Amino acid sequence: MKFADLHLHSHFSDGTYQPAELAAHAQRCQLAAIALTDHDSVEGCRDTARECAAAGLEFIAGTELTAEQNEDELHLLGYFIDIQNPTLLKRIARCQAVRQDRVREMVARLNRLKVPLSADAVFALANCRAPGRPHVARALVKARLCSSLDEAFERFLKRNRPAWVPKLKMSAPEAIELIHRADGIAVLAHPGLNRTDDVIPGLVQAGLDGIECFHTKHSTATSERYLELACRFHLLVTGGSDCHGQSKGKPLIGTVKVPYPYVEKLKTRAAELKSNSSLRATP
Ligand code: AMP
Ligand code: FE
Ligand code: FE
Ligand code: ZN
C-alpha cells in the first residue's frame, strides 16, 4: 500500500528542514507522495518538487493560509495549487509583509519588557519571507533569553501573553476563493485544534472541498468525528503530520499519513475544478 503525508513545513516558513532533507526523510519513511504546506508561502514548492523528482517521490504543491471566521483563526490548506498564480502570489506577499511587521511589533513589546532581542536577530534566524512566533521563540532561546521554546511561548508569545500580537488575517471565504483561483482544492486544516465545528457549514457554502481528518494532534475519536462530518457534507478527506522538522524533537514526517487512494480523490477533484475554471475563462 502506498501512503502520503499531506501536511509538511519547510524552512520557507516555520519548519527547519530544507527541501532536500524533506525529500530524504520522505524516502526514509517510504512515502509515495508528500505535499509541502508552508504557512502563507509557496516559495519552497519549486525546490521541493525538484528534490522529490530526484528521489522518485510524487510532490503536491500546497500552502497553509492563515484565515479567520468569527474571530477564530483557521488554517486553510490549498493542494495542487498553481504556484505562479499572480492573484495568489500578490495576496501571499501581503500576508508576508504583515508577518514581518508583526515580528517587529513582538520584538518592540519584548524590549518594553526589558528583554533585549533585536528584530534583525529574528529575521536572520528565520531567513524566510513568512516569519512567525516560532522564529521569535527560537531567537529568544538562541540569545539565552529563554531556556526553551515552550518557555518562550508560555511567558511571552501565547495568545494574550505580553508579547503576543494578533495577525491581520483574510476571511476564510477569501482564502478558499484564492485557492480555487489558483486551481487548488481548499481543505480545513486540523479542525480538532480549533474546535470550532460550527464554522464548517459556512465554509462548505463558501466552497470548502475537504477536511483534514487525520492530524498529529487529533485523537482517534476526533478523527472519527471529522470523518463523519466529511461524509455528511460530502467533503474530501486529507491527513498529514504537520511536521515542522527538528524544532519539536523527533521529526513527525510519516507518522500521520493517508492511503494513496485519498490522494487520487484529491487529484480527481483538482482536475474537475481546473476544467470548470477553464470553461468559465473561455468566452
Ligand atoms: P504564528 O503563525 O506566527 O502565529 O505561529 C503559529 C505557529 O507557532 C504554529 O504553526 C506552530 O508551529 C507554532 N506554535 C503555536 N503555539 C505553540 C506553542 N505553544 N509551542 C510551540 N510552538 C507553537
Ligand atoms: Fe507552524
Ligand atoms: Fe496549522
Ligand atoms: Zn501546519
Side-chain angles (χ1 to χ4, degrees), residues 139-158:
L140 282 167
V141 173
K142 191 171 175 207
R144 297 179 186 277
L145 296 164
C146 284
S147 59
S148 67
L149 299 175
D150 276 348
E151 186 196 324
F153 271 91
E154 288 300 322
R155 272 177 67 195
F156 301 120
L157 301 172
K158 258 170 75 165

Side-chain angles (χ1 to χ4, degrees), residues 204-218:
V204 173
Q205 284 249 302
L208 186 75
D209 301 292
I211 305 190
E212 186 178 51
C213 295
F214 303 104
H215 182 272
T216 301
K217 293 194 175 157
H218 282 182

Side-chain angles (χ1 to χ4, degrees), residues 9 14 39 244:
H9 294 271
D14 58 356
H39 298 285
H244 283 73

Side-chain angles (χ1 to χ4, degrees), residues 8 24 40 50 63-64 71 82 108 126 139 144 150 160 162 216 231-232 259:
L8 299 168
D40 301 326
R50 197 189 53 235
T63 187
E64 182 174 16
E71 292 177 23
D82 169 10
R144 297 179 186 277
D150 276 348
N160 298 328
T216 301
C231 190
R232 192 185 320 154

Side-chain angles (χ1 to χ4, degrees), residues 177-282:
E177 154 106 28
L178 255 185
I179 291 166
H180 284 165
R181 267 185 177 232
D183 294 330
I185 56 176
V187 173
L188 179 62
H190 45 61
L193 264 69
N194 308 82
R195 300 203 58 88
T196 46
D197 295 3
D198 46 340
V199 302
I200 291 174
L203 299 180
V204 173
Q205 284 249 302
L208 186 75
D209 301 292
I211 305 190
E212 186 178 51
C213 295
F214 303 104
H215 182 272
T216 301
K217 293 194 175 157
H218 282 182
S219 66
T220 306
T222 301
S223 294
E224 278 168 5
R225 187 165 86 247
Y226 290 111
L227 284 168
E228 272 171 36
L229 270 174
C231 190
R232 192 185 320 154
F233 289 105
H234 307 290
L235 293 167
L236 295 161
V237 170
T238 73
S241 64
D242 209 351
C243 176
H244 283 73
Q246 295 289 11
S247 59
K248 290 166 192 164
K250 218 172 133 235
L252 291 171
I253 180 170
T255 56
V256 178
K257 54 195 177 187
V258 289
Y260 195 75
Y262 285 78
V263 177
E264 276 165 350
K265 285 189 183 154
L266 299 178
K267 275 189 188 173
T268 305
R269 173 64 63 85
E272 281 167 12
L273 283 171
K274 201 167 173 171
S275 78
N276 288 347
S277 77
S278 56
L279 280 178
R280 271 202 308 276
T282 317

